[in-house]
């Protein structure tokens, strides 16, 4: 595959690079470089900056306000965003429910929801998993019973990422149990989080963060017009969405950026009087991970090419999800090894922000290494666990 950039593509790369360097809020850049968590307001501000430039709907068709970029432009954009160490836009609106609404939604739904998603006026979260339905999602039990012009929703969702910030949730719900296959009778419903009967309870993760939640529905009345597509066809829509999600979780550009930074850190960090970069065994591990990333990068480019020719990402997206998240975890483990004892202390955000770099324990963002390592354990679970991805690859890619 030829990935030499044309003059136009290089000009585009320079435009993206300049925009990221010069036109985004400096305080956010500073927080990012020091691994300080961004607030809801920070994320919205960032996404609104992208929208003001016309760059929020990277994968969306032009007719819905998307960029209409080529595969290579999208690749350049993602790579430059990672290289500038910018946060990843929250995926639930732009990357997930947006494409479902413009593909399967009614004209009214497109007009009502898509502009707010593009402009980051509304924060979405994803309500698929339930206490008894994760890998075996078709066993979900949240019920939506039609009562006049409303669905009445009862049940619970779990692991709902950033639901504490969300204005709306898109849910897979059971509208019928009288079906031949469990995948039938599931519908795709959009629910306003402010509706009476919706409650959110935090789940605190291994690194002490509040990132995921339980969401409970008790007699929640949802207008019938919030059903996307046909009743009972939610499984089909949800599967398309999961493939989009899996393509997005590979994180190749970000892993490449982090490995580049790690090489720099290895040159600076001293172990037993020698720079870490002189440890051939450690540097060999970095090189081996870089080689695997390069191979995955080409697989991602092939998938992007298919998507840009109008196809939804297929089961190949499972390869990206599985391998990409394994590599993210491998990079996090290498950082842990490089940071050594400095990775151990817990360092609150305020401390990182208030103290000059030279006065901190360890070397800046390094002090968050163990938190990031623990946080990244999630990557092989969310979006469908990696064991499930291997099953999909075996069945639908290898035909076993
Ligand atoms: C940090 C985080 C954020 C998340 N965010 C969201 C979100 O925003 N919205 C949402 O809907 N969900 C979210 N999830 C849920 C996620 O999709 C599920 O955790 C995942 O699908 C696994 O389901 P489960 O946790 O019920 O585990 P289970 O399905 O109970 O699986 C337990 C273990 O058994 C293995 N296993 C299960 N079935 C098989 C099989 N057939 N073959 C081989 N191995 C198998 C699994 O790989 C896993 O290791 C999130 C999860 C995490 C950890």
């Amino acid at each position: 595959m030829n990935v030499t950039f044309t003059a136009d593509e290089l000009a585009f790369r320079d435009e993206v690079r300049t925009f990221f360097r010069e036109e985004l809020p400096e305080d956010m850049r500073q927080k990012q470089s020091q691994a300080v968590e961004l607030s809801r307001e920070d994320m919205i501000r960032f996404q609104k900056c992208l929208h003001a430039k016309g760059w929020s709907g990277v994968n969306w068709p032009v007719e819905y306000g998307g960029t209409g970029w080529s595969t290579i432009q999208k690749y350049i954009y993602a790579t430059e965003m990672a290289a500038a160490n910018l946060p990843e836009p929250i995926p639930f609106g732009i990357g997930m429910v947006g494409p479902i609404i413009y593909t399967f939604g009614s004209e009214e739904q497109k007009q009502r929801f898509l502009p707010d998603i593009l402009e980051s006026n509304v924060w979405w979260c994803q309500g698929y998993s339930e206490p008894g339905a994760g890998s075996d999602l078709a066993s979900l039990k949240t019920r939506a019973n039609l009562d006049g012009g409303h669905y009445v929703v009862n049940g619970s969702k779990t692991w709902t990422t950033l639901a504490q910030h969300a204005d709306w949730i898109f849910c897979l719900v059971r509208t019928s149990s009288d079906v031949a296959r469990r995948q039938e009778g599931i519908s795709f419903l959009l629910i306003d989080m402010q509706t009476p009967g919706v409650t959110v309870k935090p789940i605190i993760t291994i690194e002490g963060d509040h990132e995921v939640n339980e969401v409970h529905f008790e007699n929640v009345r949802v207008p019938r017009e919030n059903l996307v597509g046909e009743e009972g066809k939610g499984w089909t829509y949800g599967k398309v969405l999961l493939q989009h999600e899996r393509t997005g979780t590979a994180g190749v550009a970000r892993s490449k950026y982090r490995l580049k930074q790690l090489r720099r850190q290895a040159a600076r960090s001293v172990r037993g009087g020698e720079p870490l970069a002189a440890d051939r065994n450690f540097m060999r591990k970095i090189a081996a991970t870089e080689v695997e990333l390069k191979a995955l990068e080409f697989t991602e480019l092939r998938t992007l090419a298919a998507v840009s020719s109008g196809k939804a990402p297929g089961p190949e997206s499972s390869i990206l999800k599985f391998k990409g998240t394994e590599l993210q975890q491998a990079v996090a483990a290498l950082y842990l090894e490089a940071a050594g004892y400095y990775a151990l202390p817990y360092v609150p955000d305020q401390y990182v922000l208030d103290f000059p770099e030279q006065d901190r324990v360890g070397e800046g963002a390094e002090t968050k290494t163990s938190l990031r390592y623990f946080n990244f354990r999630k990557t092989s679970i969310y979006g469908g666990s990696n064991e499930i991805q291997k099953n999909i690859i075996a069945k639908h890619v290898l035909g076993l």
Side-chain angles (χ1 to χ4, degrees), residues 57-223:
V58 170
N59 282 312
W60 288 27
V62 177
E63 60 179 305
Y64 299 120
T67 59
W69 282 340
S70 68
T71 307
I72 294 292
Q73 282 177 303
K74 288 177 201 168
Y75 168 79
I76 290 172
Y77 184 75
T79 307
E80 292 302 321
M81 192 175 248
N85 193 26
L86 293 171
E88 279 177 76
I90 302 291
F92 305 109
I94 288 282
M96 297 188 186
V97 74
I100 293 298
I101 293 174
Y102 67 63
T103 310
F104 303 107
S106 65
E107 218 30 66
E108 292 72 31
Q109 286 170 342
K110 290 178 194 174
Q111 284 176 19
R112 179 173 174 203
F113 293 110
L114 295 182
D116 278 340
I117 293 174
L118 268 185
E119 288 176 37
S120 284
N121 294 333
V122 170
W123 187 299
W124 285 84
C125 64
Q126 178 189 28
Y128 277 22
S129 307
E130 297 185 3
S135 304
D136 184 18
L137 192 56
S139 64
L140 63 88
K141 291 195 168 55
T142 296
R143 281 290 316 195
N145 293 331
L146 206 50
D147 175 26
H150 287 80
Y151 286 100
V152 181
V153 181
N154 281 288
S156 295
K157 297 290 174 181
T158 192
W159 306 118
T160 322
T161 300
L162 301 179
Q164 74 270 31
H165 297 327
D167 305 299
W168 281 74
I169 182 168
F170 55 91
C171 283
L172 287 179
V173 292
R174 185 157 289 288
T175 39
S176 170
S177 305
D178 186 19
V179 287
R181 291 170 63 242
R182 288 178 312 151
Q183 286 79 359
E184 294 163 16
I186 291 175
S187 300
F188 197 100
L189 209 54
L190 311 176
I191 304 177
D192 184 340
M193 294 289 280
Q194 295 304 319
T195 320
V198 179
T199 48
V200 177
K201 290 190 181 160
I203 300 173
I204 303 303
T205 47
I206 190 170
E207 78 279 21
D209 256 0
H210 178 194
E211 188 175 305
V212 283
N213 302 273
E214 296 171 5
V215 181
H216 300 278
F217 301 93
E218 200 183 336
N219 293 324
V220 175
R221 294 186 72 80
V222 180

Side-chain angles (χ1 to χ4, degrees), residues 254-293:
R254 234 155 258 275
S255 292
K256 267 175 71 176
Y257 168 80
R258 297 206 72 221
L259 277 177
K260 206 166 114 193
Q261 293 297 101
L262 185 58
R263 278 191 177 274
R264 286 207 191 123
Q265 189 170 320
R268 284 200 319 256
S269 303
V270 176
R271 297 280 180 276
E274 290 277 323
L276 184 59
D279 178 341
R280 291 178 62 187
N281 191 35
F282 183 72
M283 297 313 282
R284 188 190 52 75
K285 287 187 213 168
I286 295 187
T289 313
E290 282 169 345
V291 169
E292 291 207 56
L293 259 180

Side-chain angles (χ1 to χ4, degrees), residues 213-244:
N213 302 273
E214 296 171 5
V215 181
H216 300 278
F217 301 93
E218 200 183 336
N219 293 324
V220 175
R221 294 186 72 80
V222 180
R224 198 174 179 167
E225 61 264 24
N226 291 7
L227 174 80
V228 176
E230 278 180 62
E231 190 178 281
K233 291 279 167 28
W235 186 258
T236 314
Y237 312 147
K239 248 184 16 186
V240 172
L241 192 152
L242 276 178
Q243 287 169 347
H244 276 279

